[in-house]
Amino acid sequence: MRRLLIAVPFLWLLALFIVPFVIVFKISLSDLAVAIPPYTPTLDFAEGWAGIKAFFAELDFENYIWLTEDDLYWKAYLSSFKIAVISTLLTLLVGYPIAYGIARAPQEWRALLFMLVILPFWTSFLIRVYSWMGILSQEGYLNQVLLWIGVINEPLIILNTNIAVYIGIVYTYLPFMILPIYAALEKLDISLLEAAEDLGCSRFSAFWLVTIPLSKQGIIAGSFLVFIPTIGEFVIPSLLGGSRTLMIGKVLWEEFFSNRDWPVASAVAVVLLLILIIPIVLFQRNEQKQREADQ
Amino acid sequence: MALDVFAPWEDPNAKPLIQFQNVTKRFGDFTAIDDLTVDIFEQEFFALLGPSGCGKTTMMRMLAGFETPTEGQILLAGQDIGAVPPNKRATNMMFQSYALFPHLSIWENIAFGLKRDKMPKDQIGERVEEMLRLTRLEKFARRKPHQISGGQRQRVALARSLAKAPKLLLLDEPLGALDKKLRQETQFELMDIQETTGTTFVIVTHDQEEAMTVASRVAVMDHGQIVQVATPDVIYEAPNSTYVADFIGDVNLIAGKADPQGDKLHLHWADGQPALVGSPLAGITKGQDLHYAIRPEKVSISAEKPADAANAIQGEVHDIAYLGNISTYHVQLPGGQIIKAQAANNRRISRRAFTWEDKVWLSWTDTAGVFLER
Amino acid sequence: MRRMTWFNVTSLTLGFAFLYLPMLILIIFSFNESKLVTVWAGFSTKWYGELMRNTAFLDAAWVTVKVAFISSSLATILGTMAAVVMVRAGRFRGRTMFSGMIYAPMVMPEVITGLSLLLLFISLGMDRGVFTIVLAHTTFAMCYVSVVVSSRLVSFDQSLEEAALDLGCSPVQAFRLVTLPIIAPAVISGWLLAFTLSLDDLVIASFTSGPSATTLPMKIWSSVRLGVSPEINALSTIMILVVAIGVITASLINKRNVVRQRREEAAAEKLA
């Protein structure tokens, strides 16, 4: 009984999560070909041992070498990293005051405010990104308002730039930042701040010396939750970014769907995965620490 | 011993209901139960008493079937039950948290076990009504567990575990969640129900007063072993070790060297002080290390040296704890040791005989205390 | 209790304006008469009418709901099993790998998940369509379900299950009669989460579907790449409102139940 209970989900994930990666890795070592499927070699068991030997002989790291030679790829990795770091910091800057505001709101309001943060998370990601297209475009609502007030004379070009990508990321990933910080701040005992003020801190230094350090775990968790998915983001740079916005998720998509170069797309995926392992492991460790501290 | 007294453990022909035979239970490196042997008889109200981590809960969980012994055997009515899963055992358990099913009504909670036995519907109804009557819960049958009070929940848990008429009922800290007053009332209720149903009860508790009140016999446990099994009065009056003496109630312990003198045993405990006199223990040699245990209520306190007391020591009142009905005097002896003496307050406090720093005499008879080897 | 400072009020106002204004504008302009989406030309519901006549959207919506329903139901079963394994099965060989496989799909970039599943389906020679999208969605959604359910199971009082065993249940009966009814709210919210994840997904569906199956997000995607359109605004409005009504209703029901339970508990203690 117990065995069956373990085996069903285990085998499912093995077949539909692990095995696909093995295949991706294998194809990343193959060569492009004009065929169906568009790569060689393919494993042919009909030829027996010789077939298997021939199959392995033809695998090589050519595609990985290609990734280092064509500067498109490493620029894309670098640019993804840069965009992810900057937008994580921006999300933190926007998210912290909101989380703080909710945690300090009157008790009877908190549940409602909390729900208002979660609600966008349930609505379609695609629609939320799309909603900014009409706002940021050259004749969009933002430019209309700014021109009307008279702050600017010429419409700003925001859509199809990296700025639009930052706005899109901050907007869609904001709940991921607010929730862990709110969770940390809500646990914080107000009397700690009163004690700090009683001992001579100003309001601001009490915030800096007590609130910030005690919400550190939430800040770290929130930052990872924004940073990790942003690196491989595809929808936001495609809709809001321009032709010069380089992100690796977009490159992979185009390599696959437009160039139909499956081996290179697979190599891009493998490298992206290797890059992501570091923040994922760090995140898991942070969560582990948090769980131990809570016990 | 009179015939009408319930004491099957003194009858060599009585068949025990439960036998632990050299049972050991290990969790990894930790030994929870260490080579334990004990018999529990039918219709007993048997208490397992000890501090947390002493193994009492593990013993109970082995009886219920949630743990299996690492070594040794547990017999129920002569049958080894080691391999029997909990749902096939004729034992039922009342959980510390009560474990009432929150999604079922009180009625359905009590009927839960009966339904598993495929009992006919009308019989289930009758049995549930009977249990509701027994625990005075008739009015609450349709309610959910969160709609009744803590004391009522405790009775539901009891009714549910008794509904299947188990051979053995296990109670894990059954009164731990109740406040003191309710707990005392419920103790007597438990005893009544145990007597009416004739079920064998094994109760786990860390509350010595509770164990003493309800149990026919108490097993005092420490570090996976039973230190002493006896009736409550024997446990209290004749503990077999300083551990038991100290665990049950308040006690003064005095260490010294043994000196057998005829039909009395003397204990030299401090230079320049008279030896303590008491009834001897078998096999004591001169000079052996011994403890003397005496309960505070058996020590009398007086201003003058009593003429005929077997034991009398002078000291100074160090502290007085006024507890209303009684006062406990902490008297410091010349060597620095503190002896507690209790006196009933049958006079008003303003006319109390002794106050701080008064010189007083403590005295007791030669049968008031006991000598302990360990 | 401190009073709300002006700083907190400002940051909350700005924050929620930022979160809700874009969607609000979208909703308002879905009722715009003009085809030019950025110029207000009067109130009209004509784009909703257009949408209802657009069979391509309706077909895609039907495919999406079908996929979401099947995959979230499968994911709920598998995810609940996985949660029970994670919380209750104790140690077994491959446990670390098991928990890794549960957490990894949640942090995996969608492009990688999509790509790898597509390559799997191709190398197995499977026809891509509704079935392959269901497989893909089930796989990542079951991980979310298992996290939701296992966080409930962790706080589940295990003595309830022991009590069921003690009263004569087999382990399976104990799970069905006691554990499952009590953790049902978590299982249901796991299902809802899986359902919305599947409804929303663009990237993985794009990789794993074939010419025979187009989901609504795929349809929206190919349309919005060309720019803002009033029809998409109307569609977005419907989707936002459906989700908002659903979430608000669920949380109101939940709140009412909690309040009622508290009141009954207080009343029970008072009566005793």
Side-chain angles (χ1 to χ4, degrees):
Chain A
M1 191 59 222
R2 178 170 175 269
R3 208 170 272 232
L4 186 74
L5 188 67
I6 297 173
V8 173
F10 195 100
L11 291 178
W12 182 285
L13 287 170
L14 198 69
L16 287 154
F17 187 69
I18 302 296
V19 171
F21 277 117
V22 176
I23 294 174
V24 168
F25 186 67
K26 185 235 125 185
I27 291 177
S28 77
L29 302 176
S30 310
D31 295 322
L32 184 63
V34 186
I36 294 175
Y39 55 85
T40 59
T42 45
L43 190 51
D44 190 357
F45 284 110
E47 288 174 39
W49 179 239
I52 295 170
K53 233 162 66 175
F55 169 75
F56 277 103
E58 279 191 54
L59 294 178
D60 53 49
F61 287 90
E62 221 167 73
N63 298 310
Y64 293 92
I65 296 165
W66 169 246
L67 290 193
T68 60
E69 280 169 355
D70 190 329
D71 61 0
L72 167 75
Y73 299 104
W74 60 260
K75 273 187 181 159
Y77 285 117
L78 219 60
S79 155
S80 297
F81 186 79
K82 197 189 84 184
I83 290 175
V85 169
I86 294 175
S87 36
T88 303
L89 289 176
L90 288 174
T91 315
L92 178 61
L93 271 166
V94 176
Y96 199 99
I98 302 177
Y100 186 84
I102 301 174
R104 291 285 168 277
Q107 182 77 52
E108 62 271 24
W109 280 71
R110 272 185 229 164
L112 176 70
L113 295 173
F114 186 77
M115 201 192 76
L116 284 176
V117 171
I118 309 236
L119 191 57
F121 174 79
W122 289 86
T123 54
S124 166
F125 184 84
L126 187 54
I127 289 173
R128 277 184 292 149
V129 177
Y130 163 74
S131 69
W132 281 93
M133 288 175 71
I135 297 173
L136 298 176
S137 67
Q138 214 163 330
E139 61 281 0
Y141 314 120
L142 182 65
N143 275 321
Q144 286 181 29
V145 170
L146 292 179
L147 283 169
W148 182 69
I149 302 173
V151 187
I152 51 168
N153 298 319
E154 288 282 299
L156 298 173
I157 296 171
I158 307 175
L159 191 64
N160 302 334
T161 66
N162 280 1
I163 296 173
V165 175
Y166 293 137
I167 294 175
I169 294 173
V170 172
Y171 181 67
T172 44
Y173 287 98
L174 198 56
F176 290 100
M177 184 63 87
I178 295 177
L179 296 181
I181 296 178
Y182 168 72
L185 286 175
E186 216 224 351
K187 278 189 289 186
L188 192 139
D189 185 356
I190 289 274
S191 62
L192 290 176
L193 291 178
E194 287 169 347
E197 283 176 40
D198 182 59
L199 295 168
C201 277
S202 69
R203 272 238 167 146
F204 181 75
S205 57
F207 173 78
W208 189 250
L209 295 171
V210 178
T211 310
I212 293 275
L214 287 175
S215 55
K216 198 182 85 192
Q217 290 292 339
I219 295 174
I220 296 174
S223 300
F224 276 121
L225 284 176
V226 175
F227 180 83
I228 294 169
T230 305
I231 288 252
E233 185 52 56
F234 163 71
V235 172
I236 297 172
S238 306
L239 280 189
L240 301 180
S243 51
R244 290 182 41 215
T245 305
L246 263 186
M247 283 194 83
I248 200 66
K250 205 175 127 195
V251 170
L252 193 153
W253 178 286
E254 278 159 8
E255 210 58 72
F256 192 86
F257 283 109
S258 311
N259 299 347
R260 291 192 61 77
D261 192 338
W262 293 12
V264 167
S266 301
V268 169
V270 170
V271 173
L272 174 55
L273 196 63
L274 290 177
I275 291 173
L276 276 177
I277 282 175
I278 300 161
I280 290 171
V281 167
L282 287 176
F283 174 66
Q284 287 294 341
R285 206 172 283 173
N286 183 57
E287 291 288 285
Q288 187 72 33
K289 220 162 71 184
Q290 178 71 29
R291 271 198 293 275
E292 278 160 18
D294 283 346
Q295 275 162 10
Chain B
M1 185 150 286
L3 278 173
D4 57 337
V5 172
F6 174 73
W9 50 87
E10 293 191 345
D11 176 2
N13 297 321
K15 270 233 164 70
L17 178 68
I18 301 157
Q19 292 166 280
F20 277 76
Q21 296 181 338
N22 303 95
V23 172
T24 296
K25 175 69 187 176
R26 289 189 203 95
F27 296 101
D29 294 336
F30 176 70
T31 306
I33 298 292
D34 189 4
D35 191 23
L36 185 146
T37 299
V38 69
D39 291 344
I40 300 170
F41 295 86
E42 207 155 317
Q43 297 193 16
E44 253 203 280
F45 200 138
F46 192 87
L48 295 167
L49 176 65
S52 59
C54 69
K56 58 189 194 296
T57 304
T58 308
M59 264 184 85
M60 165 156 297
R61 291 176 61 82
M62 287 198 289
L63 281 172
F66 298 125
E67 310 287 353
T68 45
T70 317
E71 284 160 30
Q73 282 189 321
I74 302 173
L75 308 182
L76 177 69
Q79 301 277 315
D80 183 1
I81 55 168
V84 183
N87 50 331
K88 304 262 158 51
R89 289 194 184 192
T91 63
N92 281 120
M93 178 151 168
M94 188 186 144
F95 289 78
Q96 184 172 10
S97 63
Y98 307 150
L100 298 181
F101 304 130
H103 57 301
L104 302 179
S105 70
I106 305 312
W107 199 95
E108 289 164 323
N109 260 285
I110 297 173
F112 191 90
L114 304 172
K115 285 185 185 165
R116 302 284 87 70
D117 284 354
K118 303 267 185 313
M119 192 188 254
K121 266 221 168 87
D122 48 331
Q123 280 184 39
I124 291 181
E126 271 171 40
R127 182 69 181 157
V128 172
E129 295 304 326
E130 190 186 336
M131 285 296 120
L132 287 169
R133 267 198 307 282
L134 183 72
T135 48
R136 295 179 286 110
L137 285 166
E138 298 100 320
K139 277 193 295 185
F140 306 106
R142 297 286 150 216
R143 295 215 190 163
K144 292 275 177 73
H146 73 267
Q147 293 167 317
I148 57 175
S149 73
Q152 290 157 351
R153 270 178 237 163
Q154 190 267 351
R155 299 211 299 273
V156 177
L158 183 64
R160 186 179 71 177
S161 51
L162 276 172
K164 293 180 80 171
K167 277 189 194 165
L168 171 66
L169 184 73
L170 306 164
L171 304 104
D172 186 4
E173 304 270 7
L175 311 175
L178 304 181
D179 63 53
K180 193 170 177 188
K181 205 164 161 230
L182 195 54
R183 194 156 64 216
Q184 284 169 346
E185 287 170 27
T186 315
Q187 283 168 3
F188 289 104
E189 239 176 66
L190 266 186
M191 291 159 73
D192 279 348
I193 288 173
Q194 195 257 347
E195 242 162 77
T196 342
T197 58
T199 313
T200 312
F201 278 28
V202 172
I203 182 174
V204 154
T205 179
H206 67 275
D207 179 346
Q208 41 114 350
E209 226 171 277
E210 185 172 300
M212 307 284 278
T213 310
V214 299
S216 57
R217 279 193 307 160
V218 177
V220 182
M221 293 188 66
D222 184 33
H223 288 104
Q225 289 174 322
I226 290 182
V227 185
Q228 186 172 15
V229 194
T231 54
D233 56 317
V234 172
I235 291 269
Y236 190 76
E237 299 291 346
N240 67 357
S241 61
T242 55
Y243 177 81
V244 174
D246 200 26
F247 193 80
I248 310 288
D250 217 352
V251 74
N252 295 301
L253 288 171
I254 302 166
K257 299 273 182 212
D259 180 12
Q261 304 238 334
D263 62 344
K264 292 288 170 202
L265 183 59
H266 287 216
L267 184 82
H268 299 293
W269 59 282
D271 289 334
Q273 291 282 343
L276 299 175
V277 185
S279 308
L281 281 173
I284 295 295
T285 52
K286 192 178 163 72
Q288 191 179 339
D289 282 326
L290 269 191
H291 278 93
Y292 184 72
I294 174 104
R295 303 275 178 198
E297 73 273 14
K298 301 214 164 70
V299 179
S300 10
I301 184 163
S302 54
E304 303 296 326
K305 183 174 182 179
D308 52 352
N311 295 292
I313 313 172
Q314 199 180 23
E316 191 183 287
V317 176
H318 181 70
D319 234 332
I320 306 171
Y322 175 71
L323 302 173
N325 54 344
I326 52 165
S327 285
T328 304
Y329 296 90
H330 294 228
V331 175
Q332 190 162 32
L333 304 185
Q337 187 167 17
I338 303 262
I339 298 285
K340 283 179 271 187
Q342 267 170 3
N345 289 326
N346 27 27
R347 283 181 289 175
R348 291 289 301 274
I349 190 165
S350 54
R351 295 172 60 200
R352 190 168 57 199
F354 308 104
T355 185
W356 287 269
E357 292 177 16
D358 277 357
K359 297 266 182 223
V360 292
W361 282 90
L362 301 175
S363 60
W364 58 90
T365 65
D366 56 358
T367 54
V370 286
F371 287 107
L372 302 170
E373 275 189 89
R374 46 183 179 126
Chain C
M1 187 75 218
R2 292 182 187 213
R3 286 199 7 251
M4 289 282 280
T5 59
W6 66 267
F7 177 81
N8 288 348
V9 173
T10 323
S11 63
L12 284 181
T13 315
L14 289 178
F16 284 109
F18 177 62
L19 276 174
Y20 283 92
L21 219 46
M23 283 192 265
L24 204 63
I25 294 171
L26 197 75
I27 292 171
I28 291 169
F29 276 83
S30 73
F31 295 103
N32 191 3
E33 170 77 41
S34 168
K35 177 118 189 120
L36 294 167
V37 279
T38 50
V39 184
W40 182 257
F43 181 86
S44 159
T45 53
K46 73 173 182 191
W47 301 114
Y48 290 88
E50 294 275 321
L51 193 66
M52 287 308 137
R53 282 187 291 278
N54 189 332
T55 48
F57 272 121
L58 293 180
D59 288 347
W62 172 236
V63 170
T64 311
V65 170
K66 209 161 57 181
V67 167
F69 186 81
I70 302 170
S71 67
S72 59
S73 305
L74 276 173
T76 303
I77 296 167
L78 288 165
T80 304
M81 288 173 85
V84 172
V85 171
M86 296 283 292
V87 179
R88 290 290 164 74
R91 290 177 188 285
F92 58 91
R93 239 161 33 130
R95 196 197 150 90
T96 318
M97 184 171 169
F98 191 90
S99 62
M101 288 196 300
I102 293 289
Y103 285 106
M106 291 189 288
V107 289
M108 197 57 60
E110 289 167 321
V111 280
I112 298 186
T113 312
L115 175 73
S116 63
L117 281 166
L118 170 60
L119 296 178
L120 170 80
F121 295 144
I122 289 175
S123 56
L124 291 177
M126 288 167 75
D127 278 338
R128 278 161 293 140
V130 169
F131 180 63
T132 47
I133 307 177
V134 164
L135 286 183
H137 283 185
T138 304
T139 306
F140 77 84
M142 72 176 271
C143 303
Y144 286 90
V145 174
S146 89
V147 168
V148 172
V149 175
S150 62
S151 70
R152 176 66 187 87
L153 271 179
V154 165
S155 64
F156 182 84
D157 178 7
Q158 212 159 334
S159 62
L160 287 170
E161 254 173 41
E162 284 178 351
L165 293 177
D166 185 63
L167 293 166
C169 280
S170 68
V172 177
Q173 272 180 323
F175 184 80
R176 191 168 56 84
L177 295 172
V178 174
T179 314
L180 200 55
I182 296 172
I183 64 166
V187 175
I188 291 169
S189 48
W191 185 88
L192 282 172
L193 182 62
F195 190 79
T196 45
L197 285 171
S198 171
L199 277 188
D200 278 1
D201 171 65
L202 163 72
V203 176
I204 294 173
S206 299
F207 274 102
T208 51
S209 84
S212 66
T214 306
T215 65
L216 198 53
M218 287 163 70
K219 195 77 199 137
I220 296 174
W221 172 253
S222 55
S223 166
V224 300
R225 289 193 74 176
L226 307 172
V228 180
S229 91
E231 247 183 314
I232 297 292
N233 284 354
L235 177 62
S236 305
T237 302
I238 294 173
M239 288 172 74
I240 290 171
L241 290 183
V242 166
V243 168
I245 290 168
V247 172
I248 291 169
T249 316
S251 68
L252 284 181
I253 291 172
N254 189 29
K255 192 179 168 192
R256 205 190 57 190
N257 288 346
V258 169
V259 168
R260 195 174 60 194
Q261 172 141 2
R262 291 238 179 89
R263 211 173 37 222
E264 286 174 352
E265 275 167 3
E269 283 303 328
K270 211 176 277 170
L271 274 177

